[in-house]
Amino acid sequence: MIRVAAVGDVHVGSDCHGRLKPHYDAVHEHADLLLLAGDLTRHGTAEEAAVLAAELRDVRVPMAAVLGNHDLHADEGDAVAGTLRDVGVHVLDGSATVFDVGGVSVGVAGTKGFGGGFPGASASEFGEPEMKAFMRHSRAVACGLQDALAILATDIRIALLHYSPVEETLRGERLEIYPFLGCWLLAEAIDVAGADAAFHGHAHRGAERGVTPGGVRVRNVAEPVLGGPYRVFGVEPRVGGWPVSTDASVEQLELLHTTR
Amino acid sequence: MTEPAPSPYLAQHIRDALAGDGTAELGIDVQVTEHGVYLSGAVTSAEQREDVEAVAAAEAAGAPVHNDIVIVEGEPRVEPEVLS
């Protein structure tokens, strides 16, 4: 069994030096991987990313992350991602990476995701240019996630998102804002490609547990939901591993075999 | 002389202010009653909690601000939940 530590929405600001480091320095005692589900900074500045990078600098397990809406607010998303990559975090955006954990291959495909809503109450690519652009972006990021998952011929497949693929993990949030918290297209992407688990953040008042229509377990790992700096999940390798199921571009796949 | 009633949009004005570039907080619950402004939700530091209260107070123009915001400071949950 592979132990995955996951958290999102740590919202690191300039006032957060040292808050998370003691926990992350010891994560290797409890987990084999650390996944970060977006909203890693408060305003999305390179300065805040540097604070977070310092908290992660001595982590002794492989790390993967996606950015969240907060991480893009200051239009410094590339700098935020670059600062995290400098300390070994694989920042995913419609892309995937593979970790070797004691001979078990773990593929992580990630996307920020976007809003749009859920079956029966979702937006459509119709109307004003702004509305069509909104849903086209949502569809594009979901397609990117599907392609990134489908090329992972690994023992374990994990989907890492910021926005939610299902409604169940939003329970506790106001119903009226569900379309801003996730989209059904993300669940379809996960179900069509196949995965062992999906982790997301974004919904601070949501519930922990959900499942896609195709049976993939979904966990909301936003820090306010967890009540702490991470939660550990156990994932068993799929018997026979996952087959590649797409002709998607190999450029989407960032291969890494780690020996950390 | 009785105090004027707060604007029916005061809670939303406070939410908008909290979502601004200063505090960047989109998830704070804001309730306005005859007794003042009530803030609840979770933030990641004591300083952020104070900043949120200050932003709310600036919008509330003298109405009392009651700060029920908690700081997320628990321990990691290390016992694995097995997903598959």
Side-chain angles (χ1 to χ4, degrees), chain A residues 97-164:
Chain A
T97 192
V98 177
F99 301 116
D100 186 318
V101 180
V104 176
S105 58
V106 182
V108 181
T111 184
K112 175 179 61 68
F114 201 48
F118 297 92
S122 66
S124 302
E125 293 178 39
F126 183 85
E128 303 91 328
E130 293 84 355
M131 195 66 228
K132 289 187 285 193
F134 184 101
M135 282 312 291
R136 283 173 185 160
H137 178 65
S138 194
R139 187 175 296 278
V141 297
C143 289
L145 176 66
Q146 181 176 327
D147 287 345
L149 280 169
I151 59 174
L152 290 171
T154 50
D155 299 318
I156 290 175
R157 266 188 194 167
I158 293 173
L160 179 62
L161 311 91
H162 180 60
Y163 286 72
S164 178

Side-chain angles (χ1 to χ4, degrees), chain A:
Chain A
M1 182 178 76
I2 300 300
R3 302 166 304 164
V4 179
V7 67
D9 301 80
V10 293
H11 290 279
V12 167
S14 58
D15 54 343
C16 293
H17 290 278
R19 178 177 85 86
L20 299 167
K21 194 174 194 310
H23 301 297
Y24 293 155
D25 283 355
V27 70
H28 63 279
E29 297 176 9
H30 308 289
D32 304 301
L33 299 173
L34 176 61
L35 302 182
L36 305 171
D39 276 4
L40 308 179
T41 62
R42 190 171 294 154
H43 300 87
T45 65
E47 177 187 350
E48 291 171 344
V51 174
L52 176 60
E55 305 291 289
L56 297 171
R57 185 186 63 231
D58 297 317
V59 169
R60 292 166 59 180
V61 297
M63 297 179 281
V66 295
L67 300 186
N69 52 310
H70 278 248
D71 302 316
L72 300 177
H73 177 68
D75 296 325
E76 296 179 28
D78 288 346
V80 170
T83 301
L84 296 178
R85 288 184 176 123
D86 286 346
V87 293
V89 180
H90 294 260
V91 182
L92 306 172
D93 183 17
S95 55
T97 192
V98 177
F99 301 116
D100 186 318
V101 180
V104 176
S105 58
V106 182
V108 181
T111 184
K112 175 179 61 68
F114 201 48
F118 297 92
S122 66
S124 302
E125 293 178 39
F126 183 85
E128 303 91 328
E130 293 84 355
M131 195 66 228
K132 289 187 285 193
F134 184 101
M135 282 312 291
R136 283 173 185 160
H137 178 65
S138 194
R139 187 175 296 278
V141 297
C143 289
L145 176 66
Q146 181 176 327
D147 287 345
L149 280 169
I151 59 174
L152 290 171
T154 50
D155 299 318
I156 290 175
R157 266 188 194 167
I158 293 173
L160 179 62
L161 311 91
H162 180 60
Y163 286 72
S164 178
V166 296
E167 295 178 80
E168 292 146 290
T169 48
L170 305 182
R171 303 273 186 250
E173 297 278 5
R174 285 184 60 170
L175 195 63
E176 298 94 324
I177 68 169
Y178 280 19
F180 303 110
L181 298 176
C183 187
W184 67 276
L185 291 165
L186 298 169
E188 185 177 54
I190 291 167
D191 285 341
V192 169
D196 295 298
F199 301 102
H200 74 85
H202 200 37
H204 293 198
R205 294 172 182 267
E208 286 195 47
R209 296 183 179 84
V211 63
T212 67
V216 178
R217 287 173 176 80
V218 178
R219 294 296 180 262
N220 179 352
V221 294
E223 191 181 14
V225 173
L226 298 182
Y230 62 84
R231 171 118 200 235
V232 177
F233 301 89
V235 186
E236 294 284 0
R238 176 184 170 94
V239 175
W242 286 97
V244 174
S245 54
T246 181
D247 296 328
S249 168
V250 178
E251 278 72 44
Q252 288 183 280
L253 178 61
E254 175 199 340
L255 279 167
L256 178 74
H257 295 273
T258 66
T259 55
R260 292 184 70 172

Side-chain angles (χ1 to χ4, degrees), chain B residues 33-75:
Chain B
T33 74
E34 61 181 354
H35 302 293
V37 176
Y38 292 79
L39 306 173
S40 63
V43 296
T44 55
S45 73
E47 183 176 325
Q48 181 73 350
R49 184 177 184 273
E50 291 172 8
D51 289 347
V52 167
E53 182 174 333
V55 169
E59 288 292 321
V65 176
H66 308 278
N67 191 345
D68 295 333
I69 292 169
V70 298
I71 301 168
V72 181
E73 50 187 2
E75 293 296 309

